[in-house]
Amino acid sequence: MLGLNRVKKNAAVVAATAVAAATALLSAPTAVAAPQPVVGGTTTTTTAYPFMMQITDASQNQFCGGTLVSATKVVTAAHCMVGETTSSVRVVGGRTYLSGADGTVRRVSRIWIDPEYTDATDGDDVAVLTLSTSMPYATASYVSPSQTGVYAAGTTARVLGWGATSENGSSSEQLRTATVPVVSDASCESSYGSDFVRTDMVCAGFASGGTDTCQGDSGGPLLIGGVLAGITSWGEGCAEAGHPGVYTRLTTFSSLVTAQVTS
């Protein structure tokens, strides 16, 4: 399998997958590079991005990101939710710092994972969480199925997250953000071969590397024009030249997401 899911559960998972990465080209779910969180980015706040959610375990240890798209619905990556239950997950809004005690914590009453999902590099990497009670924060709009033009090569996109600060290292204490250009499908296919599924994925990053999402950023948003257009999914290492980040192409799954949002 080519690619690394950009999720970080705990130290034991990281250590185990690091061993796997040493014996194969790439494995999941850890990183093989030594990047900065949202590599090449800057610090920001949940005041600036109120729809940015931490997805945590029951003890409020963050392992993925998510985007609030209605008062009770959060869009994230399917690979973040595999093996999770409603009792094992919490969603935290309005908390810029991982060690903070502010913000709002909500339980999850339902986890929907795209039924076609098997692995991030096979596509279908989308999930929707239903919260037990509403979040008091502004929500993000997301793309409709017809808005495929948003992925034009060179278009500026914004990413957000609390990703790892070094290879197999700890997460960023503060939320970070960066801008990256959308990469053409042809270029992304050149980087990832058959693991890049054009219908399900979109790439974003610089040819020279240096700016990217990374481990711990999984499930977070790829924003284009301020609208949710992608979900942080996977990539080879982090911020490596010639290997842009790979995101779920949300136009493909917009109708499925809407069905969950309105259910």
Side-chain angles (χ1 to χ4, degrees), residues 35-182:
Q36 294 301 305
V38 181
V39 183
T42 59
T43 56
T44 188
T45 68
T46 53
T47 301
Y49 298 98
F51 49 77
M52 184 66 195
M53 301 285 112
Q54 292 182 27
I55 296 178
T56 77
D57 62 19
S59 299
Q60 297 180 41
N61 298 306
Q62 183 265 347
F63 62 87
C64 274
T67 305
L68 189 72
V69 295
S70 81
T72 60
K73 304 289 181 174
V74 175
V75 172
T76 188
H79 75 260
C80 288
M81 293 295 105
V82 172
E84 300 295 344
T85 66
T86 55
S87 61
S88 70
V89 175
R90 302 288 185 272
V91 174
V92 182
R95 185 177 294 176
T96 296
Y97 297 90
L98 293 183
S99 62
D102 57 338
T104 306
V105 181
R106 291 290 186 254
R107 286 180 169 269
V108 173
S109 61
R110 184 169 185 264
I111 298 172
W112 175 85
I113 296 173
D114 189 310
E116 300 298 317
Y117 175 79
T118 56
D119 183 87
T121 56
D122 293 327
D124 305 295
D125 194 11
V126 57
V128 178
L129 308 183
T130 301
L131 307 181
S132 56
T133 49
S134 298
M135 279 284 187
Y137 303 110
T139 60
S141 300
Y142 58 93
V143 289
S144 69
S146 64
Q147 290 180 284
T148 55
V150 301
Y151 305 113
T155 301
T156 298
R158 180 169 295 278
V159 292
L160 294 152
W162 288 270
T165 58
S166 62
E167 182 178 354
N168 300 322
S170 59
S171 298
S172 173
E173 169 63 10
Q174 183 174 353
L175 179 64
R176 293 178 67 91
T177 185
T179 57
V180 285
V182 175

Side-chain angles (χ1 to χ4, degrees), residues 181-257:
V182 175
V183 175
S184 71
D185 291 346
S187 294
C188 197
E189 200 164 57
S190 295
S191 297
Y192 292 114
S194 61
D195 282 304
F196 176 67
V197 182
R198 289 190 179 212
T199 57
D200 291 16
M201 303 171 188
V202 61
C203 289
F206 295 97
S208 58
T211 305
D212 198 4
T213 48
C214 197
Q215 179 190 1
D217 292 323
S218 280
L222 178 81
L223 303 170
I224 299 178
V227 174
L228 180 65
I231 304 165
T232 302
S233 185
W234 64 280
E236 182 173 343
C238 303
E240 292 184 1
H243 291 101
V246 185
Y247 302 82
T248 302
R249 186 181 291 254
L250 195 54
T251 51
T252 299
F253 305 97
S254 180
S255 295
L256 287 172
V257 169

Side-chain angles (χ1 to χ4, degrees), residues 18-42:
V19 172
T23 57
L25 177 61
L26 288 167
S27 189
T30 186
V32 296
Q36 294 301 305
V38 181
V39 183
T42 59

